[in-house]
Amino acid sequence: FQGIFVLGLPYALLHSGYSGLFLIILAAALCCYTGKILIACLYEENEDRQLIRVRDTYEDIANACCKKLSPKLGGIVVNVTQVVELIMTCVLYLVVSGNLLSHSFLYVPMNEKTWSVIAFVMLLPCVFIKTLKIVSKLSQLGSLVHFIIIFVVMTYFLTQIHQWSWAKFRLSIEFEDFLVSVGVIIFSYTSQIFLPTLEGNMKNPGDFRCMLNWTHFFACVLKTTFALTAFLTWGEETKEVITDNLPSFLQTLVNLCLLTKALLSYPLPFFAATEIVYACISRGNHSNYKSPLFALGVRGSFLLLTLLMAMFIPHFALLMGLTGSVTGAAMTFLLPSLFHLKLKWKKLSFLEKCADISVFILGFLCSLAGIVCSIKGLLEVFG
């Protein structure tokens, strides 16, 4: 929840004003709700009316919903959506790495794309990662760096408290910019991909709902505090990546820490995406698809794909907004509410049905509008 993408939230507030604060809170509540109903889809009642876990993954839920149409159709849709979101996350890490390097070494005559290539070279060892154990160690180090970054940046914000003014918030907003902000905020909360596995590995799965409530609450408080203090500090001058606003004596230090965080965070979505693809390809009895060399080829191809996408779409906030609007909205709002209605229709109360339908409609509208506006923004950037 508190990943590197919180750096885009102050920029989202710039374009959404007071409504952005409301959106951060609303997104937390809706994401918490859809997380709960997604996990509810893993369970069915037995003859004694006891809940039994009959499904293990997001893919299993999707297949159960679409079994009348096609036994594997739902799983294919979910896997494709998951892979797209994970790959886009990897692309964002490369884009932000290029941005951070270019602003850290201003005296070096290279553009952001060239710096992204350098970051890509540093990530080449990812093709040799075979187990989640290595990924978890890297992610743990990344989390430690992230705490240091937030502490330093928040301390600086507080030293500028004499400059804060609520007058910096806009009451009137541009509708298209607002919709891009919606995508940015949604993307910062997406976690549904990992919830079934997380719940299945908890020592006490019965505590899952309580855990989800508290994590979303604290995530909401921290995101709101960070975004608000950053925006009150710089107002209309707030940039896409908030660290670009820091004074030079702090910017280089924080940027290098953020670069470390981005590079350490990249392996997790990269590993998850390649594992999904490799598992789908090697499910048959084709021995050629199970060789270590083939797995290396899959990882290498995905690594190169993320570089090419980072080179052609080097705009952090717009890319984050587009990803949030497409895959984020689908995995977080559309599919959980749709699956819950499909699997639990007969057991849901009228209010629960209304809640699921409302979430689905809201998610669909936000996704559609966000896609149109993000693509329009990218086209304008490219001239």
Side-chain angles (χ1 to χ4, degrees), residues 312-341:
F312 286 106
I313 317 176
H315 295 280
F316 180 73
L318 286 173
L319 184 58
M320 187 175 168
L322 180 60
T323 305
S325 299
V326 182
T327 59
M331 299 297 290
T332 307
F333 298 132
L334 301 180
L335 295 181
S337 55
L338 187 64
F339 293 163
H340 194 233
L341 286 168

Side-chain angles (χ1 to χ4, degrees), residues 59-60 62-76:
E59 182 183 359
D60 292 340
N63 284 331
C65 290
C66 300
K67 62 182 179 181
K68 291 184 179 179
L69 292 174
S70 172
K72 297 183 179 180
L73 177 62
I76 292 171

